[in-house]
């Protein structure tokens, strides 16, 4: 296999410096898994994430039903998603610090925009980024994302750290679910007729990621208002 600057003996169509095609799996009419799409951004994403988390640390919020979530949450952007005994809502202020949520780092915005664009949703400008942290055993029950003012924009999800099995259902809670494994660097984009499909995450299995340790971190970018 030749590299740049050397003379190939024959025409090498698959030189390892040639751009790879984007690995894209379609899981619904307007839902796509972009394998490894976030990897080229990772070196900029991790320091930005650390900075956001010093200003808005992970916390385990309580659902309106009174259960403490196994997934710990933080947010950045104009709006943060919160839950407590009174319900789910997007807020401008982090209730734990009394301060506005940290601004959305430029690299987060760039990553969300380019993933949406690659999945056919050009012009996506998210105003909310929910950051979920799963430790082994943490899960997210089947639900719909419907706390936003409108559903014309997609949701973009970035997976980092240890793997998880994603459950992708239909328009009804009782519809069958497909299982989609998600790995470090994978991005999922779903919009249009798929925007309100039920989904969840199976309990995360014990594992260790070289950069992130024993955790899975997921970003979900949305247009809240
Ligand atoms: C929805 N987060 O925060 S996002 C959430 O991995 C949430 O932390 C999950 O659901 C997480 O509200 C899942 C990934 C995802 C992927 C494909 C979907 C959500 C989807 C397809 C349809 C609907
Ligand atoms: Fe969700």
């Amino acid at each position: 296999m030749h590299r740049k600057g050397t003379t190939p003996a024959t025409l090498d169509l698959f030189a390892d410096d040639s751009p790879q095609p984007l690995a894209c799996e379609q899981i619904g009419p307007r839902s796509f898994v972009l394998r490894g799409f976030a990897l080229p951004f990772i070196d900029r994403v991790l320091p930005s994430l650390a900075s956001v988390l010093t200003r808005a640390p992970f916390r385990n919020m309580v659902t309106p039903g009174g259960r403490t979530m196994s997934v710990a949450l933080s947010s950045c952007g104009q709006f943060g998603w919160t839950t407590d005994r009174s319900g789910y809502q997007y807020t401008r202020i982090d209730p734990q610090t009394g301060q506005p949520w940290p601004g959305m780092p430029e690299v987060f915005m760039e990553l969300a925009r380019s993933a949406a664009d690659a999945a056919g949703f050009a012009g996506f400008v998210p105003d909310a980024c929910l950051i979920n942290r799963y430790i082994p055993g943490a899960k997210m029950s089947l639900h719909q994302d419907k706390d936003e003012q409108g559903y014309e924009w997609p949701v973009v999800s970035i997976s980092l750290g240890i793997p998880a099995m994603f459950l992708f259902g239909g328009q009804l809670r009782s519809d069958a679910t497909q299982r989609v494994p998600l790995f470090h660097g994978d991005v999922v984009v779903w919009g249009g007729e798929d925007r309100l499909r039920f989904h969840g995450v199976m309990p995360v299995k014990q594992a260790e990621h070289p950069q992130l340790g024993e955790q899975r971190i997921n970003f979900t970018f949305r247009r809240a208002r």
Side-chain angles (χ1 to χ4, degrees):
M1 191 84 69
H2 82 278
R3 291 184 176 278
K4 276 190 185 124
T6 66
T7 307
T10 54
L11 180 61
D12 187 347
L13 293 174
F14 302 104
D16 59 9
D17 56 359
S18 66
Q20 293 301 121
L22 178 63
C24 174
E25 296 160 32
Q26 189 160 10
I27 58 171
R30 299 206 71 192
S31 303
F32 302 89
V33 180
L34 309 173
R35 296 286 177 199
F37 189 93
L39 294 177
F41 298 82
I42 288 289
D43 288 352
R44 291 161 62 212
V45 165
L46 294 181
S48 296
L49 171 62
S51 160
V52 165
L53 292 174
T54 59
R55 290 171 283 157
F58 281 124
R59 78 294 303 264
N60 292 88
M61 294 186 190
V62 175
T63 65
R67 291 186 212 278
T68 299
M69 293 180 71
S70 60
V71 179
L73 310 183
S74 180
S75 280
C76 63
Q78 267 179 278
F79 298 99
W81 187 87
T82 63
T83 174
D84 62 17
R85 289 308 301 248
S86 69
Y88 307 125
Q89 61 176 324
Y90 282 99
T91 66
R92 291 181 181 274
I93 302 293
D94 176 352
Q96 182 166 289
T97 63
Q99 295 295 121
W101 294 102
M104 197 175 307
E106 213 167 301
V107 62
F108 282 32
M109 184 69 80
E110 216 180 296
L111 173 51
R113 276 185 72 85
S114 55
D117 197 64
F121 299 95
F124 181 46
V125 183
D127 60 12
C129 172
L130 173 64
I131 308 170
N132 295 322
R133 183 192 61 193
Y134 296 74
I135 56 173
K139 65 176 173 71
M140 194 173 286
S141 307
L142 218 54
H143 67 279
Q144 294 170 292
D145 290 11
K146 55 175 189 185
D147 300 315
E148 299 72 32
Q149 249 164 32
Y151 308 121
E152 51 272 19
W153 290 105
V155 180
V156 172
S157 149
I158 318 289
S159 293
L160 302 177
I162 64 178
M165 191 62 82
F166 180 70
L167 292 174
F168 188 36
Q171 307 293 340
L172 302 175
R173 184 179 292 278
S174 56
D175 286 345
T177 55
Q178 42 175 319
R179 291 163 181 231
V180 182
L182 294 177
F183 302 96
H184 182 69
D186 289 350
V187 176
V188 186
V189 182
W190 71 102
E193 64 201 275
D194 293 326
R195 177 64 178 73
L196 289 175
R197 285 173 75 154
F198 278 87
H199 59 281
V201 178
M202 305 258 292
V204 167
K205 290 190 176 151
Q206 190 95 49
E208 183 159 355
H209 185 270
Q211 280 173 296
L212 287 146
E214 291 187 345
Q215 59 178 343
R216 169 177 188 259
I217 291 181
N218 177 266
F219 302 149
T220 36
F221 293 93
R222 303 188 184 86
R223 188 82 209 168
R225 306 264 168 102

